[in-house]
Structure formats: structure tokens, C-alpha cells
Amino acid sequence: MISILALLLQAAAPAPAATPAPVLPWTPVTRGDAASGTLSSSVYVFSRTPGSRLAVRCDARADKVVSLQFRAASDLGAGPVRPVRLILDGGTPLISNWEFISGIALEREDAAVTTITAALAHAREIKVHTTNLAGEPIDAVFDGPASDAGLTQVLAACGYTLGVVPVRTPPPAPTPGQ
């Protein structure tokens, strides 16, 4: 009787939740709800030395914005814009001033995003260098994507084309009397 009860209880117990498969580097991930207009799509890669992440993200809301995001293993600090240097395959550094918000370095200016994503698409090694608020160096090295497919998909989610600076439609002029 006890063994039958034990079998019934085992059968009624919920199965352990399946562990989600890890996302491969540079594989597009989409989150949100298209119906409510809060859709985001991204590709990312973790650094060779654990702790840092480099991502390209599309936030498709009322405005569609693509951003490059760098999260370091140590605290970057929030604050004024600071230079971020990317060296792709040992070439000439791409340097631009990124925003530092909530510990993430962020670049979302269309021309810079276009230039950098076009270069990332074919890079095998990506070195990122910046500083924290105290001026101490922060460095990370990432493996580049196997192909440009993931980047192309994320950019397309925001209406961007790899290597082409998007043309923004200016907002409508206010009507007189308003």
C-alpha cells in the first residue's frame, strides 16, 4: 500500500523545469511583445576572460534605436561620456564617445553604430578599451561573429541595413495655434 502511494505521489509530482539551452554567441534573441510595441532584439558575446559582455541591441518602440552596449567585469560607473576604443583584428582603432548609464557603456548615434556594426560583422577578434570614473583602464577581448547573419537580423528589426546609415524622418511640424 505504501509503495503504491509513493508511486502515485511520484507520478503526480511536477517534472523539474527544463534548463534553457545556453545562447550561442552572436545568436539573435528577441524579447518583448510586438502587440504592445515593446520589442527588443539583440546579439551578444561574452569576453574571453569571464565577466564582460558586448551587445548590439534593437529597441523597437515608438522610435527604433540600435545601440552598442559594453558591460565590463568591473564597474564602469555612470556619468559623463567617455571614449571607448575598439580594435578589430589588430587594425586601426575605432574611437567614439559613448554614454555611461547604469554601469553600461552605450553608443546609439546612427553613424557610429553603422560604422561599428559593419566592422564587427567581419571581425574575428574585438578588443574594447575604456576607463572607469576614476580613470582606471577597463579592457576586454571578444571573439567576433562567425557570419554577419545575427547582426543583420537585429539591425533589420529596427529598420537598419548593415553598413547603411538610416535616414530618419523628421517629426511633423506643430500645427499653428498649438
Side-chain angles (χ1 to χ4, degrees):
M1 180 72 154
I2 292 177
S3 62
I4 293 174
L5 184 58
L7 287 173
L8 288 173
L9 287 174
Q10 260 185 337
T19 304
V23 175
L24 295 174
W26 300 104
T27 300
V29 176
T30 301
R31 293 183 176 92
D33 180 14
S36 69
T38 59
L39 192 63
S40 72
S41 183
S42 64
V43 290
Y44 60 90
V45 61
F46 290 104
S47 58
R48 291 179 181 169
T49 304
S52 297
R53 185 186 75 188
L54 181 64
V56 177
R57 179 179 168 133
C58 159
D59 288 301
R61 294 180 178 85
D63 291 329
K64 295 181 177 182
V65 177
V66 173
S67 62
L68 300 158
Q69 299 179 6
F70 170 62
R71 181 180 304 268
S74 58
D75 186 27
L76 291 169
V81 297
R82 297 192 294 278
V84 172
R85 181 177 69 207
L86 293 112
I87 299 175
L88 309 172
D89 298 328
T92 303
L94 297 172
I95 303 171
S96 60
N97 287 322
W98 291 30
E99 299 171 68
F100 285 74
I101 302 170
S102 300
I104 296 174
L106 177 77
E107 174 63 82
R108 56 184 164 186
E109 193 277 318
D110 287 337
V113 166
T114 299
T115 299
I116 295 168
T117 55
L120 288 176
H122 305 289
R124 296 294 153 240
E125 179 182 75
I126 304 156
K127 293 181 180 179
V128 178
H129 171 79
T130 192
T131 59
N132 62 17
L133 282 173
E136 298 163 332
I138 304 286
D139 295 285
V141 179
F142 302 89
D143 291 320
S147 78
D148 65 6
L151 282 167
T152 299
Q153 183 177 334
V154 169
L155 294 172
C158 270
Y160 287 52
T161 301
L162 183 63
V164 178
V165 178
V167 177
R168 302 268 181 193
T169 306
T175 57
Q178 287 186 342

